Amino acid sequence: MSKVNLQRLGETVFQSSDRVSAELLALTYGSTVKQLLVDYEEPDEVNKQLDQMGYNIGIRLIEDVIANSKIYTISSFVDSAEIVAKVAFKMYLGVVANTVDWNSDKTEFSLQFDDNPLTEFTELPDRYSDLWYANILCGIIRGAYEMVQMKVECKYTKCVLRGDDTNEIRIVLREMLLERPPLDDE
Amino acid sequence: MSKVNLQRLGETVFQSSDRVSAELLALTYGSTVKQLLVDYEEPDEVNKQLDQMGYNIGIRLIEDVIANSKIYTISSFVDSAEIVAKVAFKMYLGVVANTVDWNSDKTEFSLQFDDNPLTEFTELPDRYSDLWYANILCGIIRGAYEMVQMKVECKYTKCVLRGDDTNEIRIVLREMLLERPPLDDE
């Protein structure tokens, strides 16, 4: 499917699914991060916890991406990138992302997005300069990929809360797991 | 404003504000509750923590309810109830609630709502039977009321996760705080 068609698909699925206020999500997520900072203190440890939380969410969300978008096969890592950027991001966060900086082997790319509903209303105090505030997204992406049999590494590389001009997550394909069954039997 | 008009207002504000997937909120909120259960173990203590988290959110959200709905004065507790049920619930959760079981003094009512996006995809294990899973809502309501100079008590009384046929929060007006300034100076 072309980028434009995927973008249209993302929009359609987004419009037809149950939605809530982005602000409520942002503030609820903020409470979570705050709680983790109290519990674990070290930003690096909080990054890990957020990633783990995200992973548990990602392995559940992917079923919905597949069911609602009716994308039954993701034939390659290259295709998957556009589905994450144009369909999944739109479905869940209401924003689209771009895929940039592919390596020559087509096993790595960066997901770039200017708007991130999770970071609205947030400012990072200086002492948390090592925190990747929205790191839950890395975990979600990693978990979702694993369910379609691709082992990836996800790493935040830019965040507007740190003064960067955009948000960026690097996604690296590490391994194609076993032969993939069809995503849906029907 | 009549109930019907308030409901229409809630719908309009909801449609015009930034929205995200209800599922993402539900799963993110679920992670938060899970983390609190690890940290505090006792469901009662988790109820308190959720209430406190909600309070911190409520004192921020109310500004937005006022700004976006252009409701500049909330003249009485009775009026406030319908604004919570028809405007604020819709704005943030995408669902409307009903106000029922007023006491004769009109200082107490119950907010009843069949759908609660926060509890989607959730089942409560028996050992958490004392947990009010969505107790963050009580805190949000309490915080929001305090910012319009009404001290209220909020208590979950029914939750579908516990097998009740609906969700219900009891709201009791305890005190009108000092003379209220206009909500917005403009």
Side-chain angles (χ1 to χ4, degrees), chain A residues 55-72:
Chain A
Y55 177 82
N56 294 331
I57 293 177
I59 57 178
R60 293 189 63 172
L61 281 190
I62 183 69
E63 279 176 42
D64 255 22
V65 175
I66 292 165
N68 292 328
S69 67
K70 305 201 187 335
I71 294 175
Y72 296 119

Side-chain angles (χ1 to χ4, degrees), chain A residues 141-165:
Chain A
I141 296 169
R142 185 167 64 85
Y145 263 109
E146 202 161 300
M147 297 306 279
V148 293
Q149 313 297 321
M150 299 186 207
K151 204 164 183 62
V152 301
E153 263 176 39
C154 290
K155 224 173 139 169
Y156 241 101
T157 46
K158 285 185 188 172
C159 176
V160 292
L161 290 185
R162 292 182 169 208
D164 294 321
D165 56 346

Side-chain angles (χ1 to χ4, degrees), chain A residues 49-109:
Chain A
Q49 293 296 326
L50 288 171
D51 179 85
Q52 188 54 40
M53 273 187 179
Y55 177 82
N56 294 331
I57 293 177
I59 57 178
R60 293 189 63 172
L61 281 190
I62 183 69
E63 279 176 42
D64 255 22
V65 175
I66 292 165
N68 292 328
S69 67
K70 305 201 187 335
I71 294 175
Y72 296 119
T73 50
I74 298 174
S75 46
S76 71
F77 186 61
V78 174
D79 284 357
S80 76
E82 289 305 326
I83 293 169
V84 173
K86 301 290 183 277
V87 183
F89 254 61
K90 182 73 194 180
M91 265 181 79
Y92 291 107
L93 292 170
V95 299
V96 291
N98 289 313
T99 55
V100 299
D101 296 336
W102 280 95
N103 67 342
S104 56
D105 291 351
K106 300 279 183 195
T107 57
E108 295 187 20
F109 68 97

Side-chain angles (χ1 to χ4, degrees), chain A residues 14 18-25 27 31-32 35-36 39-40 53 57 60-61 64 91-93 121, chain B residues 14 18-25 27 31-32 35-36 39-40 57 60-61 64 91-93 121:
Chain A
F14 180 64
D18 288 341
R19 280 161 297 161
V20 294
S21 138
E23 188 178 0
L24 183 59
L25 174 69
L27 294 176
S31 304
T32 310
Q35 182 65 34
L36 290 174
D39 291 352
Y40 295 96
M53 273 187 179
I57 293 177
R60 293 189 63 172
L61 281 190
D64 255 22
M91 265 181 79
Y92 291 107
L93 292 170
F121 318 104
Chain B
F14 180 64
D18 288 341
R19 282 161 296 161
V20 293
S21 138
E23 189 180 359
L24 183 60
L25 175 69
L27 294 176
S31 305
T32 310
Q35 181 65 34
L36 289 174
D39 291 352
Y40 296 95
I57 293 177
R60 293 187 65 171
L61 281 190
D64 254 22
M91 264 180 80
Y92 292 107
L93 292 171
F121 319 102

